[in-house]
Amino acid sequence: MADAKKVEWSDKETYAVEMKSISKIYPNGVAANQSVDLFVRKGEIHALMGENGAGKSTLMKMLFGMEQPTSGEISINGETVKFSSPNAAIAKGVGMVHQHFMLVPSLTVAENIVLGTAPTKKGLVIDRKKAVRITEEYAARFHLNVDPNARVMDIPVGMKQKVEILKALVRGAKILILDEPTAVLTSQETEELFRELTHLKTEGYTILFISHKLNEILEITDRMTVLRGGKSMGVYETKGITKAEISRLMVGRDVVLTVEKEKAQPGETILQVRNLEYTNEWGRKMLNGISFDLRAGEILGVAGVEGNGQKELVDMLFGLNQPDGGTAAVGGKSILGLSQKKLRQTGVSLVPEDRMLFGIAADASIEENLIADRVASKKYNRGSIFRMKAIRGDTKKLIADYAVLCRSGKQKVKMLSGGNIQKVVVAREFSNDPVFILADQPTRGIDVGATELIRKKLVELSRAGAAVLLVSADLNEVMELSDSLIVMYGGKIAAYFEDTAELNDKIMGEYMLGVQTQPPEETRKVCHD
């Protein structure tokens, strides 16, 4: 840490945010934060770094009034405050933009921005003209260009991010908490967002920036606070610190930040998809003639701005929805419409985008979640009697192999951090000899340590012969992990790259935004028949 400049708190300075000796101990005895100090200057972009479970989210929830500290003191611009709710925090100029957008899809941009504070005519109906005018004024002032009359369901994800920021600014926020703001943005959209955040900074706004993307932290932030195990590892100037040093502070060890893999030796076709079609409930064509092959021993990446058909493709391939037309087969047998049990018997495994909704049974134990897909096996039960020795032995090994941080396998899985919940999901999905792995955003919102483990396991499984379809909004991940790659735009395959070695963010972004598309004869090469 010789080059990293540590910053000490000063009692001669008034900070926009001061959180002194903050502790949060839950009724079950879990200490999420232990005497954490956070001091953020007015007009700076300050990163909050740490592994999943380090206490970042809990700390920000207390700053935004979603939770209250067990002990400690919070001050805003020198004034001691106690926030009993988010409304109380908003009243003091604190706003939060959550990782998962809190927008109503059927409403317009303007209606979303004024939601809860909407101007009315005679106190009865929303004054939509005034809502549009407010939106236009704030958009122009803060260089956040949006279409006030567009429905949220029809706008790109980059504009949704701007709408969320404008919502907070319209409510008077001077301190903005941004939770993983670039998780689903292209490199071009990220560049645009960073220009807008820099403008806010010059206007005197204070921004707390939470991200696991170390290159972005180094680019956009002035200083960072690093948490590990619920405790602060200190405040550091961003200038002069390296990715390796940040990772070491977060994890407590050296982390391999690049993906190491041997060149793929693809075998027989495992998954064959032909002419998949799907129109959603709003009449929007989400899949428009999707065709591709996935071979044994290969990682095929799927990139694209969120909302261009990736989710619908995953839903079709794992039986969560039915296409309007087309076929999908594993090993020559159709998988469309199969039950989860039959899909798994075919050798299909899923790491879902939403781990809480589709990946776990939150109130069940870690052990129960780890064997949920194989509980009927004779190895684990004899009629109605479970073979607990076998269950405990195998789940204990999985917990160790996947470095799940927990007290025991009997612990409820919902009590784990997001990164450790994801480890439980991948431990189950990767350990049942899968033929085809559908990995949907496998490292979204998790720390560098968990990311390193999951990426390494994906490569190991693919090189052992599994076929991996990797859907990821993280451009670095999808380019580094994938052997070959398709880009989806407007429900179609806009590009196919047989080799990802020469790709970069700029090239990818142009295809993801529809600026460029390949001719059909090029995209057809992803079909190997």
Side-chain angles (χ1 to χ4, degrees):
M1 297 304 300
D3 296 328
K5 186 179 178 183
K6 195 170 183 178
V7 183
E8 301 297 334
W9 177 82
S10 171
D11 59 4
K12 297 178 181 178
E13 189 171 355
T14 298
Y15 295 98
V17 175
E18 283 183 79
M19 302 182 79
K20 297 180 182 177
S21 301
I22 299 293
S23 293
K24 177 66 177 181
I25 302 173
Y26 289 101
N28 62 3
V30 173
N33 294 123
Q34 302 175 58
S35 297
V36 173
D37 292 328
L38 175 68
F39 49 98
V40 183
R41 293 176 180 144
K42 180 181 178 182
E44 77 166 336
I45 302 178
H46 192 109
L48 188 59
M49 307 291 294
E51 291 190 278
N52 290 98
K56 305 186 303 297
S57 295
T58 303
L59 194 66
M60 291 300 95
K61 284 178 181 177
M62 288 187 281
L63 180 57
F64 193 54
M66 297 171 72
E67 294 190 12
Q68 285 68 50
T70 304
S71 60
E73 183 177 281
I74 301 174
S75 297
I76 302 296
N77 296 315
E79 178 188 350
T80 301
V81 296
K82 288 187 177 180
F83 295 148
S84 58
S85 69
N87 284 338
I90 291 167
K92 287 294 181 180
V94 180
M96 187 167 183
V97 177
H98 299 272
Q99 181 179 351
H100 301 290
F101 300 143
M102 315 287 270
L103 301 172
V104 182
S106 59
L107 297 183
T108 67
V109 166
E111 288 166 342
N112 270 278
I113 285 173
V114 302
L115 197 62
T117 60
T120 59
K121 293 179 180 178
K122 300 178 181 180
L124 296 174
V125 295
I126 294 175
D127 188 337
R128 287 184 171 79
K129 286 186 178 179
K130 191 171 182 181
V132 168
R133 189 163 66 249
I134 290 170
T135 299
E136 290 174 338
E137 288 173 359
Y138 274 81
R141 177 182 169 188
F142 295 108
H143 300 180
L144 291 159
N145 297 318
V146 297
D147 180 353
N149 294 303
R151 288 189 305 174
V152 162
M153 70 174 72
D154 297 325
I155 64 176
V157 68
M159 190 179 291
K160 290 176 185 175
Q161 184 69 265
K162 295 176 188 179
V163 174
E164 286 283 22
I165 294 172
L166 281 171
K167 267 176 60 180
L169 295 173
V170 165
R171 285 159 176 74
K174 296 291 184 181
I175 298 163
L176 277 175
I177 305 165
L178 303 182
D179 187 4
E180 298 283 351
T182 66
V184 294
L185 302 185
T186 65
S187 59
Q188 287 89 339
E189 289 170 322
T190 297
E191 287 175 12
E192 187 177 352
L193 175 65
F194 282 4
R195 284 195 297 270
E196 290 150 354
L197 295 182
T198 301
H199 174 70
L200 285 170
K201 172 184 163 181
T202 61
E203 292 275 309
Y205 286 78
T206 302
I207 299 165
L208 275 153
F209 191 95
I210 303 171
S211 176
H212 292 295
K213 297 181 179 180
L214 302 187
N215 58 321
E216 294 181 358
I217 293 296
L218 295 175
E219 179 182 348
I220 191 67
T221 68
D222 302 298
R223 299 189 305 160
M224 66 182 70
T225 295
V226 183
L227 300 183
R228 190 203 305 166
K231 298 178 181 178
S232 173
M233 304 306 293
V235 180
Y236 295 86
E237 298 281 358
T238 302
K239 186 177 180 180
I241 198 169
T242 66
K243 292 181 184 180
E245 288 170 331
I246 298 171
S247 300
R248 204 175 302 126
L249 281 168
M250 289 169 56
V251 182
R253 62 175 175 83
D254 289 330
V255 177
V256 179
L257 298 171
T258 56
V259 178
E260 297 177 359
K261 67 182 194 316
E262 297 174 358
K263 187 173 177 61
Q265 302 293 330
E268 64 179 344
T269 296
I270 298 297
L271 172 69
Q272 185 179 74
V273 174
R274 291 293 182 269
N275 302 313
L276 275 190
E277 302 274 345
Y278 178 69
T279 301
N280 68 16
E281 59 267 43
W282 292 294
R284 185 178 174 190
K285 192 128 189 172
M286 301 306 297
L287 296 177
N288 190 357
I290 296 292
S291 297
F292 64 90
D293 290 338
L294 171 62
R295 297 167 294 183
E298 173 185 41
I299 301 176
L300 176 63
V302 180
V305 175
E306 197 167 276
N308 279 279
Q310 305 95 303
K311 178 184 182 300
E312 289 74 15
L313 175 62
V314 172
D315 286 350
M316 302 306 161
L317 295 180
F318 206 71
L320 301 175
N321 206 342
Q322 287 272 32
D324 300 326
T327 63
V330 169
K333 297 180 180 179
S334 175
I335 59 170
L336 295 178
L338 288 186
S339 68
Q340 303 297 302
K341 182 179 180 180
K342 288 184 177 179
L343 275 169
R344 292 188 178 281
Q345 288 172 347
T346 306
V348 181
S349 285
L350 171 71
V351 179
E353 175 187 13
D354 190 332
R355 53 182 167 260
M356 300 305 293
L357 185 61
F358 295 111
I360 61 163
D363 286 314
S365 69
I366 297 168
E367 288 179 345
E368 289 166 336
N369 274 277
L370 284 171
I371 65 162
D373 64 334
R374 63 203 75 172
V375 69
S377 166
K378 290 180 181 179
K379 181 178 182 181
Y380 298 127
N381 72 71
R382 184 182 297 143
S384 59
I385 301 173
F386 285 105
R387 295 180 170 179
M388 296 310 299
K389 186 176 180 180
I391 291 172
R392 296 265 156 79
D394 285 2
T395 55
K396 187 175 180 180
K397 186 176 187 304
L398 285 174
I399 287 168
D401 288 349
Y402 286 80
V404 180
L405 297 179
C406 61
R407 293 194 300 273
S408 79
K410 296 186 180 72
Q411 186 178 348
K412 284 189 176 182
V413 76
K414 70 179 180 182
M415 300 308 297
L416 302 179
S417 69
N420 282 295
I421 290 173
Q422 189 74 343
K423 288 178 185 178
V424 171
V425 174
V426 298
R428 180 187 65 234
E429 299 300 322
F430 291 179
S431 63
N432 208 17
D433 298 324
V435 173
F436 164 41
I437 300 170
L438 185 50
D440 189 8
Q441 314 295 348
T443 65
R444 175 177 285 179
I446 64 174
D447 58 76
V448 290
T451 294
E452 176 194 33
L453 182 145
I454 291 170
R455 289 177 178 175
K456 183 180 177 182
K457 294 285 187 183
L458 272 174
V459 170
E460 287 176 357
L461 286 163
S462 74
R463 296 311 180 251
V468 178
L469 189 68
L470 172 66
V471 182
S472 180
D474 184 329
L475 281 187
N476 288 330
E477 175 171 84
V478 81
M479 287 190 294
E480 285 190 33
L481 271 184
S482 302
D483 301 305
S484 53
L485 187 149
I486 60 177
V487 179
M488 291 186 67
Y489 178 75
K492 296 182 178 181
I493 294 177
Y496 167 61
F497 300 98
E498 190 172 1
D499 187 351
T500 58
E502 301 303 318
L503 291 178
N504 59 46
D505 288 4
K506 186 175 186 299
I507 293 171
M508 289 291 292
E510 288 179 347
Y511 284 103
M512 290 167 69
L513 294 170
V515 176
Q516 287 197 58
T517 57
Q518 290 179 352
E521 58 268 23
E522 288 297 314
T523 59
R524 179 70 187 175
K525 290 178 181 177
V526 72
C527 299
H528 303 292
D529 49 10

